[in-house]
Amino acid sequence: MRFELSDDQRLLRDSARDFLAAEFPLEETQRVVEHDPRGFDPAAWARLGEMGYLGLTLPAEVGGQQLGAVELAIVLEEMGRACVPGPYLDVALAAALLAAAGGRERLLAEIASGKAIVTIARQDAAFAGEAPCGIETANGKLRGRKYFVPFAAEAQALLVTTPGGVYRTDAPFAVTPLPTLDPTQRFARVDFDHVAERMAAADVVAGLEPLAAAAAAAMLLGVMSRAFEITLDYVKTRQAFGRPIGSFQALQHRLADALLRVESTRSAVYRAAWCLDNADPDAALAAASAKAYAGDAARLVCGESIQMHGGIGFTWELGLHFFLKRAKTLESHYGSTEVQLERALAAAGL
Amino acid sequence: MDLHLSERHLRFRDELRAWLEKNVVRPWREELRDPTASEDSLIELRRAWQKKLHAGGYLGLDWPKEWGGRGATAVEKSIFEAELVRADAPPILNFLGLSLLGPALIHHGSEEQRRRFIPPMLSADEIWCQGFSEPGAGSDLASLKTAARLEGDEFVVNGQKVWTTYGPWADWIFVLARTDAKNRYGGISFILVELRTPGVTVRPLRQITGESEFGEVFFEDARVPRANLVGQIGEGWKIAMTVLAYERGATALAYSTRYSRDLAALAHACREVGRTGPAVREKLARLVVENEVMRANGVRMLANLADGKIPGPEASMEKLFWSEFDKRFRDTAIDLLGPGGLLLRSCSEARPEVDWAREFLWSRAETIFSGSSEVQRNILAKRALSLPQEG
Ligand SMILES: Cc1cc2nc3c(=O)[nH]c(=O)nc-3n(C[C@H](O)[C@H](O)[C@H](O)COP(=O)(O)OP(=O)(O)OC[C@H]3O[C@@H](n4cnc5c(N)ncnc54)[C@H](O)[C@@H]3O)c2cc1C
């Protein structure tokens, strides 16, 4: 039994951390999100493909690395730490859906190499979670509207979920941007009137929910870990009343609680990923729990990090806000907390 | 990463499970609800249970074989604890002796002390209690004042211990006593005292549950043979701290097993009384989620132990998590059950599956004993986060 990463996994983590730190420093993210309407840099995206991160879990035949959920969690954690702008998580989930549906080697190969961006269009309304699906399908055509489609303007294809199955549609799309408080993640409303190919039954999407939950939780883990580390450094140097603010017990105890949340999220995320890789019967419960817990923990830890920085924490310049914002985005998508709570109850047989 | 139990550990678990199935004749919760049960009868039942465990070779698991142990590791011990919970076995009577004093004697005691004290400790014929806390020394344990003065071959002990669990019916107490008033840590010694010794008085204290599981112990010129000193004079603090560190197994695993069962009982009770609305379900679900996260912490701790890692500040995280979670859990349970959740076990209307009222009250102790939550956070701030210390 061993919780620690294997040598290969550690290598993957270290190289991802180094690569992402060099490629996506916060200053660069600040620049890209303000000056590039796409919200990410396609050249940097292509380099993610070269590094093999875009085909991490895909089969070798399509240029993938055939790795598992644990490795995906490792890279997602690093993506969260660096608060990388762009659709990394969305594309990983769309690729998993395509792979689960079978076939479609060409599109998968394009995803793995970074040539194609494909995401999933699933949200049926801007607000309500369970609005009736507004998509109609007939005679190979798909019509209707989806909300919060990730990076739809850049996508070559979208996988559209309906109660009757998942459909693939190809660009161009009629896109209306839905700018949110998180500029590192772009969403749009898409009005479909497309030729569409039914590629999988609806239960294929349902079957991927635990992976989506664990994956989003892994990214949340990275987001909160980095915000926590930045804060820990800051409280050791910032002086007030003639001493470092980190010597005040009021802050120490909250930092201890934050550490507990970060480390507990780490246990939950990697256990869930491991359960998924090993078809463990606890996988669904572990994944839903990890996501529900990570959402709360990240909001709390990222919030504390701004609070403990004082005024400078509230500046755009410092960049801490990106972590809080990403935490909120990840919390509300990929199965929001209430959804995960229901899933956890169901998986626990309660 | 590999979270599978090894073949050896699986075999251990399966054998133990089968053994428990045969030997736990009635779940502990049913023993507690037996109208003929008294405090004394339950103690005797636990004594008999401990003897059974001992005969089965399941006590002192991680002790060397020559001292009645099995030479196993902290991994087997953690599995053992989780399986006891799963089987709803009675709690081990000589818990404080086995978990704290046993290791102290094995690592720091003399050959004679081990021969004299370990066998009756294992067989539950001598029950031990832990005399560390004093009226003026709890979290700040090193400020303890109970004094032991050496006179010839004897210590003369004066002072008072308090919150002594099992004190009211134990036979022996292991005491941290001051042998040098001027040396804060190096002036503390570890001494074994028979509670029957003239000059030693035990007074039960009533707890918020109404029970008197702990008490206070007074020492007035109590004479104790020098041979009852563990280690050297002035080594008491060091011994106590290392012994407390041995205690660290994957306790979260045992707790999550127990809370899963209690959560299922709670969900069942809520359905039975017709509380199934979304507010109720959300509260239940949050408990399920936190419990799963605690289980993941436990699995991680177990895997680290199996991997040969010695837990450091993780032990503080584990204690902080389960004790604070249990408070929330028990509080929410009563909230969900409504006024019926407040009923005492003795009341025929009380729910049979869990003594919710007592669990709620007991949970208030958990964030105080074995290092309060505040003390655990101080430890984390200092050891895990290296935060600058005050002054
Ligand atoms: C049910 C139960 C069983 C027990 N069994 C035993 C036993 O068998 N043997 C034994 O020796 N003891 C036992 N204890 C005693 C227990 O170890 C002490 O109660 C504990 O160490 C706290 O000490 P105290 O009661 O003196 O509280 P104090 O130390 O006075 O603490 C009071 C409050 O102040 C807080 N506090 C103290 N110091 C700090 C600080 N530096 N920073 C922030 N907050 C602080 C504490 O967290 C607590 O909330 C038991 C206690 C209970 C409740």
Side-chain angles (χ1 to χ4, degrees), chain B residues 117-149:
Chain B
F117 293 113
I118 288 181
M121 184 191 303
L122 285 165
S123 64
D125 289 319
E126 278 176 1
I127 302 304
W128 285 88
C129 61
Q130 173 199 7
F132 286 11
S133 304
E134 296 183 3
S139 303
D140 180 15
L141 185 58
S143 66
L144 61 90
K145 288 207 175 65
T146 295
R149 193 178 68 245

Side-chain angles (χ1 to χ4, degrees), chain A residues 1-6 9 70 228 232 235-236 243-244 246-249 251-257 259-260 263-268 270-271 274 278 282 285-286 288-290 292-293 296 337 340-342 344-346 348-350, chain B residues 1-6 9 75 263-264 267-268 271 281-282 284-286 288-290 292-293 295-297 299-300 302-304 306-307 309 316-318 320-321 373-378 380-382 384-391:
Chain A
M1 231 186 160
R2 187 182 156 93
F3 183 83
E4 296 292 299
L5 302 179
S6 68
Q9 290 167 339
V70 170
F228 180 67
L232 197 56
V235 301
K236 288 178 183 173
R243 47 195 258 215
S247 66
F248 295 115
Q249 199 185 46
L251 297 197
Q252 291 192 344
H253 281 195
R254 279 155 51 197
L255 287 162
D257 283 335
L259 171 73
L260 179 63
E263 286 309 311
S264 298
T265 305
R266 179 175 305 285
S267 308
Y270 284 98
R271 172 163 183 262
W274 184 87
N278 290 274
D282 283 345
L285 179 54
S289 301
Y293 185 85
D296 282 350
T337 303
Q340 302 300 345
L341 289 176
E342 278 299 337
L345 269 185
L350 306 177
Chain B
M1 254 191 113
D2 176 14
L3 303 182
H4 286 297
L5 282 179
S6 69
H9 292 141
V75 178
L263 271 166
H268 178 76
R271 268 197 307 276
R281 289 189 60 77
E282 171 171 357
L284 274 175
R286 287 195 179 273
V288 167
V289 161
E290 274 195 87
E292 281 318 303
V293 174
R295 190 189 319 280
N297 279 337
V299 169
R300 175 176 174 183
L302 187 69
N304 281 340
D307 200 15
K309 296 207 157 46
S316 288
M317 288 196 234
E318 194 170 58
L320 192 55
F321 196 120
S373 289
E374 290 75 21
V375 166
Q376 304 298 349
R377 291 187 183 102
N378 287 344
L380 290 173
K382 190 170 169 185
L385 301 176
S386 309
L387 286 166
Q389 298 301 298
E390 203 177 325

